[in-house]
Amino acid sequence: MATVTLENICKSFGKTDVIHGVDIDIADGEFIVIVGPSGCGKSTLLRMIAGLETVTSGEVRIGGRRVNDVEPMDRDIAMVFQNYALYPHMNVFDNMAYGLKIAGKPRAEIAERVAGAARLLQLEPYLDRKPRELSGGQRQRVAMGRAIVRKPAVFLFDEPLSNLDAKLRVQMRLEIRQLQRDLGVTAVYVTHDQVEAMTLADRMVVMHAGRADQIGPPLEVYENPATTFVAGFIGSPPMNFVPVGLVGLGAPEGTVLGIRPEHVELVSGSDRLHGTVVYAEALGAETLVHVRLADGTLATVRQDGTAPTPPEGSDVGLIWAEAHQKLFGADGTRL
Amino acid sequence: MSRRDGMVERRGWGYWLSHAGLILGVAFVFFPIWLAFVASTVSQTEIVRPPMPLWPGDHLLENYGKALASGVNAPVALMLMNSAIMAIGIALGKIAISLLSAFAIVYFRFPGRKLFFWLIFLTLMLPVEVRIVPTYEVIAGFGMLNSYSGLILPLIASATATFLFRQFFMTVPDELAEAARVDGARPMRFFLDILMPMSRTNIAALFVILFIYGWNQYLWPLLITTDPAMNTIVMGIKQMFPSGDDIADWPVIMATSILAMVPPVLVVIGMQRLFIRGLVESEK
Ligand SMILES: Nc1ncnc2c1ncn2[C@@H]1O[C@H](COP(=O)(O)OP(=O)(O)OP(=O)(O)O)[C@@H](O)[C@H]1O
Ligand SMILES: [Mg+2]
């Protein structure tokens, strides 16, 4: 229930610069997912919003108020950590109530708020248990409960689902989204899993080496990647990159053409581009055909599972609709 | 099937052998204590006449009553109390101080942090006996001779315990401290609400060791307590030993020795239950 604004945020640890100027405007009630490869500075950025890390330069504003020098507890945020960080010696109730106790809330109100959160998260049968007596998913819920009871303006999540198995991850993903909608809280969510990013985000921030390469709604980012990095990071299998020379397109030196695997079709007569089939992965619903092009680059073609698969070693042609191709300059940005 | 039987049989052999060995060892260690106990339940004439009795006599209550009510310089009951106060004071003081200094060293970045750590570590190499003369000077200067604070204070700095808690705190995940910070806990609150309860297993184990360390102190109390009312039990036993041609009242001395052993044993038993529970519940 507050906006979050990051203005030209930089962060250095000693002499190493980790974040090089990030600007993000987060609207009230928006679900923002920060996604990027390991070590690109996602956690650092989130921790600066939380106040666990100092900001080297730039400004963090929550609800319009500059919070650079405000302690975490006074920022009206709640954070869910990757390893949950539950207090091991306290039972579930006390874990959730601890922040309220410190804030000096009356006993009755604490009990009521914790009960409310426990009901919402189906934790009622476990209130007396210690964290070690809970499953991973239940611990995850307790960590969420601890965030909810404080009724913060902003939720911060740092890879909250990465310790869960695949099935539970899908379920918790839905629950988190549902919860955030119901409570109408602004959320900033860090992950390196692009499926989580695509499904959860109102807008996603794709980070690359301390910079926000692109900010936008998931489908928009998928359709119109701003850089080769974003194009290669979002989407699985990633976008194919072909040097323009190979397709005979008149463009400056170093320009590459990007085309998504699902937009490419295999034809027998070689046309614009051709190569040899290296191998094909049949996944049931779809088949991924890997093709080695004339200059040695590998390209992937995603075709329907029922379509005939060309045998390994055979020569194939690749075609696509002009509308789907994206051109990137030598510096990796979109032309 | 037969192979499995064979293994069971062989394990059975080892089982009984090792138990026999252990029982023998226990009996060997326990025998002198048994003799002391026997000696504390018979009369003086029975002790001095060989052979020494091996089974308890019927003077138990008489001997122990005599020991508790009267020692050589001070009644044993009083000395037991002095020892208990000193041992508990030393144990609790050492734990409190080392918890706090470990907390400071692990969680705060202050100038000279490394230096302080190494200073503390250095004192590991200086036992009480080495620094006993300057310590006496200081305590005398503060007028703390013949007082509980004089008995306790010089012994409560503990590098070992500080080091132990430091190692433990370093295994506590940083995220826990951060979660507490987001929850609004100031550093001391985090220390009291989170770190202390998490260290309770270590605290219990240390308490046992430090209590016994304090209980067995001999040289330091001997040096600074001239008032019989401040004597500790370990000193008291020594005072009861005959010097020159005196005749010793061995049954009473033995009763005193047995009494002196009881509190540490109780502490071990009581704390053992606590820290075994802590170990079983060991946290993730
Ligand atoms: N306290 C620190 N001191 C020095 N460098 C640090 C510190 N914390 C993080 N870094 C560096 O900052 C960079 C970004 O770290 P960060 O934890 O934000 O990455 P991340 O995007 O969250 O990665 P992951 O997905 O693996 O969690 C890394 O190169 C890391 O080595
Ligand atoms: Mg991270």
Side-chain angles (χ1 to χ4, degrees):
Chain A
M1 288 154 279
T3 59
V4 178
T5 310
L6 304 183
E7 209 174 272
N8 199 19
I9 297 288
C10 296
K11 175 71 187 176
S12 329
F13 290 107
K15 282 206 180 73
T16 34
D17 297 329
V18 173
I19 309 270
H20 321 272
V22 170
D23 289 278
I24 308 177
D25 252 311
I26 303 172
D28 189 5
E30 194 174 21
F31 201 119
I32 288 282
V33 176
I34 301 177
V35 64
S38 186
C40 69
K42 309 178 294 285
S43 298
T44 308
L45 197 64
L46 192 77
R47 290 161 54 79
M48 285 194 282
I49 302 177
L52 294 170
E53 208 80 72
T54 56
V55 178
T56 307
S57 76
E59 200 167 279
V60 181
R61 285 195 295 272
I62 297 178
R65 179 172 69 121
R66 183 181 193 272
V67 291
N68 282 29
D69 307 310
V70 177
E71 272 290 302
M73 63 175 136
D74 301 320
R75 291 190 179 199
D76 209 7
I77 52 120
M79 183 149 171
V80 177
F81 294 87
Q82 179 172 0
N83 299 317
Y84 319 137
L86 300 178
Y87 310 123
H89 59 290
M90 294 187 192
N91 64 24
V92 170
F93 181 94
D94 289 331
N95 259 289
M96 293 205 265
Y98 187 58
L100 298 177
K101 272 183 195 152
I102 291 179
K105 295 271 186 283
R107 209 173 266 272
E109 188 189 337
I110 295 178
E112 186 194 324
R113 281 215 219 169
V114 173
R119 196 168 337 108
L120 206 60
L121 294 162
Q122 294 136 38
L123 280 172
E124 279 159 320
Y126 311 111
L127 283 177
D128 292 328
R129 295 216 198 156
K130 297 274 175 64
R132 69 171 172 281
E133 297 159 340
L134 298 176
S135 73
Q138 290 159 347
R139 280 182 219 177
Q140 171 58 41
R141 285 208 180 86
V142 178
M144 301 264 303
R146 189 165 65 178
I148 291 173
V149 291
R150 306 185 55 220
K151 296 194 178 155
V154 184
F155 274 157
L156 304 174
F157 299 91
D158 192 353
E159 309 204 17
L161 304 183
S162 58
N163 287 343
L164 303 181
D165 67 51
K167 201 170 162 199
L168 201 54
R169 212 177 306 167
V170 174
Q171 182 193 340
M172 286 304 295
R173 199 164 76 202
L174 293 174
E175 281 183 31
I176 288 179
R177 187 67 176 123
Q178 195 61 46
L179 210 62
Q180 187 265 348
R181 284 232 174 95
D182 292 347
L183 300 173
V185 181
T186 312
V188 183
Y189 186 108
V190 163
T191 179
H192 59 249
D193 178 354
Q194 51 162 309
V195 180
E196 263 172 45
M198 296 292 287
T199 50
L200 282 172
D202 288 326
R203 282 191 301 156
M204 62 199 242
V205 178
V206 185
M207 290 212 34
H208 174 41
R211 288 203 172 74
D213 263 19
Q214 190 169 8
I215 304 176
L219 289 180
E220 163 71 19
V221 172
Y222 185 81
E223 294 292 340
N224 273 311
T227 63
T228 44
F229 173 79
V230 176
F233 188 76
I234 301 295
S236 171
M239 189 180 261
N240 298 309
F241 297 109
V242 185
V244 281
L246 222 55
V247 276
L249 242 133
E253 184 68 18
T255 307
V256 289
L257 179 150
I259 180 78
R260 294 259 175 224
E262 63 268 33
H263 293 143
V264 186
E265 241 181 284
L266 291 178
V267 289
S268 49
S270 65
D271 197 7
R272 210 170 357 169
L273 186 63
H274 64 103
T276 36
V277 175
V278 183
Y279 64 100
E281 294 173 286
L283 302 174
E286 62 191 30
T287 303
L288 302 178
V289 184
H290 301 271
V291 179
R292 191 177 300 284
L293 303 179
D295 70 337
T297 42
L298 275 177
T300 310
V301 178
R302 173 188 255 154
Q303 58 178 27
D304 204 75
T306 56
T309 311
E312 282 177 23
S314 62
D315 197 60
V316 288
L318 286 75
I319 56 165
W320 58 87
E322 198 109 327
H324 290 307
Q325 71 186 29
K326 324 275 187 246
L327 294 178
F328 298 91
D331 62 349
T333 55
R334 192 69 181 279
L335 293 179
Chain B
M1 220 35 209
S2 64
R3 214 186 127 188
R4 195 148 154 220
D5 288 345
M7 270 174 72
V8 168
E9 198 172 298
R10 209 177 310 150
R11 203 172 78 188
W13 258 103
Y15 182 81
W16 291 115
L17 255 177
S18 55
H19 267 72
L22 288 172
I23 289 168
L24 202 74
V26 168
F28 193 73
V29 172
F30 187 70
F31 191 61
I33 298 172
W34 173 250
L35 277 189
F37 175 70
V38 169
S40 74
T41 60
V42 297
S43 69
Q44 173 78 353
T45 46
E46 281 173 286
I47 284 198
V48 291
R49 185 185 60 226
M52 187 142 181
L54 285 180
W55 297 106
D58 51 2
H59 293 266
L60 184 132
L61 289 180
E62 181 194 329
N63 289 338
Y64 280 79
K66 222 154 105 190
L68 276 177
S70 62
V72 175
N73 289 330
V76 168
L78 178 68
M79 292 194 290
L80 277 174
M81 194 189 71
N82 288 342
S83 274
I85 290 175
M86 178 173 84
I88 291 174
I90 289 174
L92 292 183
K94 265 182 191 273
I95 287 171
I97 287 198
S98 47
L99 268 171
L100 280 171
S101 37
F103 179 54
I105 286 172
V106 174
Y107 283 93
F108 294 88
R109 307 270 166 276
F110 53 91
R113 183 168 138 264
K114 280 255 162 63
L115 177 79
F116 278 104
F117 175 70
W118 285 110
L119 275 180
I120 293 172
F121 202 71
L122 259 181
T123 62
L124 262 179
M125 294 151 203
L126 295 176
V128 182
E129 289 74 14
V130 175
R131 53 187 161 91
I132 204 154
V133 174
T135 310
Y136 183 86
E137 275 292 318
V138 172
I139 293 300
F142 278 117
M144 288 200 276
L145 300 180
N146 286 315
S147 73
Y148 289 126
S149 42
L151 278 173
I152 294 167
L153 285 183
L155 301 180
I156 65 172
S158 172
T160 327
T162 306
F163 193 67
L164 199 124
F165 283 125
R166 171 182 177 264
Q167 295 311 98
F168 173 70
F169 289 170
M170 293 202 312
T171 67
V172 173
D174 285 345
E175 284 192 344
L176 221 52
E178 291 174 349
R181 210 170 141 206
V182 172
D183 265 342
R186 304 266 173 214
M188 276 324 277
R189 185 92 199 233
F190 168 69
F191 175 71
L192 292 174
D193 286 354
I194 316 260
L195 273 186
M196 289 254 297
M198 282 180 72
S199 323
R200 61 176 190 266
T201 314
N202 289 359
I203 293 177
L206 260 183
F207 184 85
V208 172
I209 295 168
L210 297 178
F211 181 89
I212 292 171
Y213 164 86
W215 187 266
N216 287 343
Q217 283 300 317
Y218 175 63
L219 193 58
W220 180 249
L222 188 69
L223 206 63
I224 74 152
T225 62
T226 44
D227 179 357
M230 292 303 295
N231 282 358
T232 62
I233 187 75
V234 180
M235 292 166 66
I237 295 173
K238 187 81 170 88
Q239 286 163 358
M240 286 177 177
F241 285 0
S243 53
D245 295 336
D246 291 352
I247 294 172
D249 192 353
W250 283 111
V252 174
I253 295 177
M254 286 304 134
T256 309
S257 301
I258 295 289
L259 281 174
M261 275 170 31
V262 170
V265 169
L266 289 183
V267 165
V268 170
I269 292 172
M271 286 292 163
Q272 196 178 33
R273 214 176 286 147
L274 209 149
F275 71 68
I276 284 179
R277 199 175 63 205
L279 286 179
V280 170
E281 283 184 357
S282 90
E283 327 286 6
K284 293 198 180 172

